[in-house]
Amino acid sequence: ETMILQPYLGSVETQGEISAIVIDGQITHGVVKRPVPGDYRVQDDHGGTDAPLVVSEPLRRLTEAAWAAAEERLGRRLLYGRVDALALASGEWVLNELEIVEPSLFFRHAPHAAAQLADAFLAVARGGGLRARGERR
């Protein structure tokens, strides 16, 4: 059986899990997800909460590197997804998950991002494809 094992990082309980949402190659917004006291699960099904967060420069660098690595490995551009990160004891951010299959994009914290995703879908549907890394629409 194939499985993924992740080490437990206590920062999930103190700082939460940080997410950066990427749409059409651009980071649109960030979210911090926190568990209830005494738990580590950040999902709202388990009582976790989420709030908007300004994406810091270290998280931006991690997000861009993870996104580029995924696109290179897959051999294609990705339309949207979410990069989840946790803090090490040193304060360095590390990749926890790269969500590209049915991720929650937390549009309630950034309604503008929903419009950006719709525009990106339309551009692809019209044959315009995804924008090149760093290109603006």
Side-chain angles (χ1 to χ4, degrees):
E1 208 174 303
T2 302
M3 54 178 84
I4 297 174
L5 298 176
Q6 296 174 300
Y8 173 77
L9 296 178
S11 65
V12 72
E13 291 185 48
T14 57
Q15 296 179 44
E17 181 180 74
I18 307 300
S19 296
I21 301 359
V22 180
I23 296 173
D24 197 12
Q26 303 294 312
I27 298 171
T28 58
H29 58 290
V31 175
V32 58
K33 300 173 285 185
R34 291 192 171 95
V36 296
D39 202 347
Y40 63 91
R41 296 169 296 179
V42 298
Q43 298 83 4
D44 56 8
D45 290 354
H46 302 288
T49 60
D50 52 77
L53 175 85
V54 174
V55 176
S56 67
E57 191 54 37
L59 182 57
R60 180 173 300 282
R61 285 193 302 271
L62 174 66
T63 298
E64 290 171 351
W67 203 257
E71 288 183 336
E72 182 177 327
R73 176 74 171 100
L74 294 170
R76 65 183 180 87
R77 300 297 313 260
L78 296 170
L79 183 59
Y80 64 93
R82 192 182 77 226
V83 174
D84 294 340
L86 293 171
L88 296 176
S90 66
E92 178 185 5
W93 290 104
V94 293
L95 179 67
N96 186 41
E97 295 176 279
L98 179 64
E99 296 275 355
I100 58 173
V101 178
E102 296 186 35
S104 173
L105 300 176
F106 297 95
F107 289 138
R108 66 184 164 273
H109 299 305
H112 71 279
Q116 285 178 257
L117 182 58
D119 289 345
F121 274 126
L122 287 172
V124 170
R126 292 179 179 140
L130 298 172
R131 63 177 145 190
R133 189 167 285 116
E135 176 189 347
R136 301 261 180 225
R137 278 207 208 276

